[in-house]
Amino acid sequence: MPEPVPPAPPTRVPGGRGLSLLVLSASARSGSWNLKLARLAARAVEANGATVDFATTADFEVPAYDGDAEQADGVPPGAVRFKERLENAQAFVIVAPEYNASMPGGLKNLIDWTSRFRPQPFNERQALVMSASPSMAGGNRGLWALRIPLEHLGARVYPDMFSLAQAHTSFSDDGELADPLLRERFATTVSNFLDLVEAATHYACAKTAWVEYLGERSDPSYDRVQVG
Ligand SMILES: Cc1cc2nc3c(=O)[nH]c(=O)nc-3n(C[C@H](O)[C@H](O)[C@H](O)COP(=O)(O)O)c2cc1C
């Protein structure tokens, strides 16, 4: 008699959660530590049963924000593409270097252009932010700066962040994090984030309006306010 086959343990099938995440590296530099970390994040997202749309900021090149140019020509194609990729995702992950204790100017500029669309594409989207730097702080100050415009725009930025310190010595040859404790911390952060995205996407129970300042009224002249 053949041995009875035990039931398969529950597995997280790639794509099985019905979730798609945009994973964006804010550095496209060849040899970029943030690009490496973003690729790792993409792998972790897929291992948790969601699909990944991978991009770098080089995919969304835009000129410096200029209100006259917007008036004359509208929002540039790079920001249109970014908006579309955001809209096709339930959540997004941004992996960004720290420049002078803040986020890269190009990333902020892309966020500014993209914030001009209505409906405003960051609003109510779940977000996870990460950074990598050769420094001991891992670029974490840049993430606090990045949280500000994202949260201002209504993104639900996950409280935990992942900042990889001494990035130049932290990857093994196969692109994984060399330190087992860090590897565990990274995997847990992504997995917990995806649990929240799944809950927020499929079992949403609360909806709120994004209003920039309390007391502001919906009026076409206040073009940064979106109600309902
Ligand atoms: C203009 C500029 C400012 C920088 N400022 C910081 C900083 O404030 N903190 C930090 O940890 N690293 C800083 N760095 C170093 C970056 O962390 C390092 O260049 C990193 O490799 C950039 O990310 P990437 O490898 O993904 O391209 C700065 C680099 C540049 C070019």
Side-chain angles (χ1 to χ4, degrees):
M1 279 286 281
E3 286 281 302
V5 180
T11 52
R12 290 178 169 175
V13 183
R17 290 202 195 205
L19 299 174
S20 178
L21 273 76
L22 176 62
V23 177
L24 176 75
S25 171
S27 173
R29 188 180 71 81
S30 58
S32 158
W33 306 116
N34 287 277
L35 185 54
K36 260 178 180 287
L37 192 63
R39 293 208 185 286
L40 216 50
R43 288 210 314 244
V45 167
E46 285 173 345
N48 276 276
T51 56
V52 168
D53 177 20
F54 194 87
T56 76
T57 35
D59 297 322
F60 309 118
E61 275 185 13
V62 283
Y65 179 79
D66 176 337
D68 288 340
E70 182 187 5
Q71 192 79 26
D73 305 320
V75 178
V80 174
R81 289 195 298 276
F82 187 42
K83 162 199 147 355
E84 288 170 352
R85 305 271 288 264
L86 280 170
E87 286 176 343
N88 286 333
Q90 283 77 40
F92 59 98
V93 181
I94 298 183
V95 187
E98 177 178 277
Y99 286 174
N100 297 313
S102 188
M103 80 191 88
L107 176 59
K108 176 64 163 51
N109 187 44
L110 178 62
I111 291 170
D112 290 343
W113 272 118
T114 308
S115 73
R116 304 299 291 164
F117 291 104
R118 296 295 177 272
Q120 197 269 97
F122 296 100
N123 190 32
E124 293 193 3
R125 281 216 154 61
Q126 306 289 325
L128 174 65
V129 292
M130 298 186 173
S131 62
S133 163
S135 82
M136 287 302 287
N140 191 257
R141 290 167 302 183
L143 297 187
W144 285 105
L146 175 57
R147 291 188 79 95
I148 293 173
L150 293 180
E151 293 193 8
H152 167 83
L153 292 167
R156 308 289 155 81
V157 186
Y158 193 60
D160 289 345
M161 304 182 271
F162 187 90
S163 291
L164 182 65
Q166 298 194 293
H168 56 305
T169 61
S170 294
F171 289 98
S172 51
D173 289 343
D174 60 1
E176 287 291 337
L177 296 175
D179 182 271
L181 277 177
L182 269 187
R183 220 161 41 224
E184 173 67 26
R185 165 91 198 277
F186 181 81
T188 304
T189 303
V190 174
S191 168
N192 289 351
F193 172 64
L194 275 160
D195 285 345
L196 181 71
V197 176
E198 182 176 14
T201 303
H202 297 309
Y203 316 110
C205 62
K207 290 274 177 201
T208 58
W210 166 61
V211 176
E212 189 176 355
Y213 299 110
L214 293 176
E216 222 171 49
R217 300 281 177 270
S218 180
D219 184 306
S221 63
Y222 299 138
D223 67 352
R224 288 178 295 172
V225 176
Q226 184 177 321
V227 180

